Amino acid sequence: GAVASVLLGVDEEGGSLRALQTASLVAALPFCVVLLFEVLATYKTLRIHLGELKPEELVYWRYDIFECGNYYTSICIALICPPYYQMKTRLKLITLNEAQLNREDIDGVIRYVDGYADNAFKYIWFTGYWVTWFLTILFCALEFAQTGFIYLGLTTYVFWIFLSVGNRNMIKSYYEIDSSNVLFDLLSWTFCCCCAAIQEDLQSDIDANIAPASVNDDKETELKLKETIKNNDKSLETDNLLSHGKTEAVPKYVADEAENGDGIKD
């Protein structure tokens, strides 16, 4: 208050006072974010004590959002260009989702989601990621040339945030993650978009690498099963021919093995 009074008395136009107000708001913003996270933590703790929330039954992200800060190179890239990781994550989830088509898991459930189908709709998401982010950067940069563009930049930024939160909820729904709510997702993408992008990318990374191998294993198992069935059918046919005395229709080495008691080898 004393500093404001001095500035108001010295600077009659009020420019210094406005600068002080701006600096105060900027300095208070990080504390607001911390307080919001504390409110969420307190709310979650109260629900646990009341028995409404059981942590052992929740499904969590593979990596905590702040744990992703260990990936320094990825964090720097995601800070400059988060749409790259958003597109990368969706492509991996589409690959995983297509691998799950007509395949049942251990519970007999097919984990195929239409939202991650490999069709032209994915390009709408890609366009949304890149266009809204590019327009946000462009309009903010044009503010230095013409006053007023910053409001357009903030508008496109809000659209990008809502798009990112919607995409994050689709990922949570796919993996059945229920340990965080929409408000936490909104705060994550608003104040720490680079960590949120890396967290989503790491979530889909392991399954995307495993899926093609599991598909190949299934195909190999299916081929072996068909070959075994085919050999068994040939064995039964040969036994029927020998039992009816039709040895002329059976290869000589097979008939000799049957007469010697060796049987038919698959």
Side-chain angles (χ1 to χ4, degrees), residues 49-154:
H49 281 290
L50 292 174
E52 298 178 1
L53 191 64
K54 298 180 180 179
E56 65 276 4
E57 297 179 358
L58 298 177
V59 180
Y60 296 88
W61 292 87
R62 283 200 176 98
Y63 297 88
D64 186 78
I65 187 167
F66 296 113
E67 189 179 0
C68 301
N70 297 326
Y71 300 85
Y72 305 110
T73 304
S74 300
I75 283 293
C76 293
I77 298 175
L79 184 62
I80 299 172
C81 189
Y84 166 74
Y85 281 99
Q86 290 178 299
M87 184 177 69
K88 181 182 174 184
T89 300
R90 177 163 285 271
L91 285 174
K92 286 190 291 187
L93 285 173
I94 289 174
T95 302
L96 174 63
N97 190 55
E98 291 298 318
Q100 302 298 326
L101 184 62
N102 298 326
R103 291 180 59 222
E104 297 181 354
D105 58 13
I106 57 176
D107 297 324
V109 179
I110 298 178
R111 284 186 57 196
Y112 182 81
V113 181
D114 292 333
Y116 287 111
D118 190 9
N119 51 33
F121 191 71
K122 64 182 179 183
Y123 296 108
I124 298 178
W125 282 96
F126 297 160
T127 303
Y129 299 150
W130 288 100
V131 170
T132 51
W133 179 255
F134 174 77
L135 290 178
T136 299
I137 300 299
L138 177 63
F139 290 144
C140 290
L142 289 175
E143 175 67 17
F144 293 98
Q146 180 65 43
T147 304
F149 276 102
I150 187 65
Y151 301 108
L152 290 175
L154 291 175

Side-chain angles (χ1 to χ4, degrees), residues 92 95-96 175 201-216:
K92 286 190 291 187
T95 302
L96 174 63
Y175 287 101
D201 180 60
L202 292 175
Q203 178 70 26
S204 62
D205 202 20
I206 299 177
D207 283 347
N209 292 333
I210 292 176
S214 62
V215 173
N216 292 333

Side-chain angles (χ1 to χ4, degrees), residues 4 9 45 65 70 98 114 119 125 134 143 179 186 194 219 226 239-240 249-250 257:
T45 303
I65 187 167
N70 297 326
E98 291 298 318
D114 292 333
N119 51 33
W125 282 96
F134 174 77
E143 175 67 17
S179 59
L186 181 62
C194 52
K219 290 182 178 180
K226 288 181 178 179
D239 289 340
N240 290 332
V250 181
E257 288 181 355

Side-chain angles (χ1 to χ4, degrees), residues 244-263:
H244 289 83
K246 299 180 180 180
T247 57
E248 67 279 359
V250 181
K252 186 176 183 303
Y253 73 93
V254 176
D256 292 342
E257 288 181 355
E259 289 178 359
N260 294 332
D262 296 335

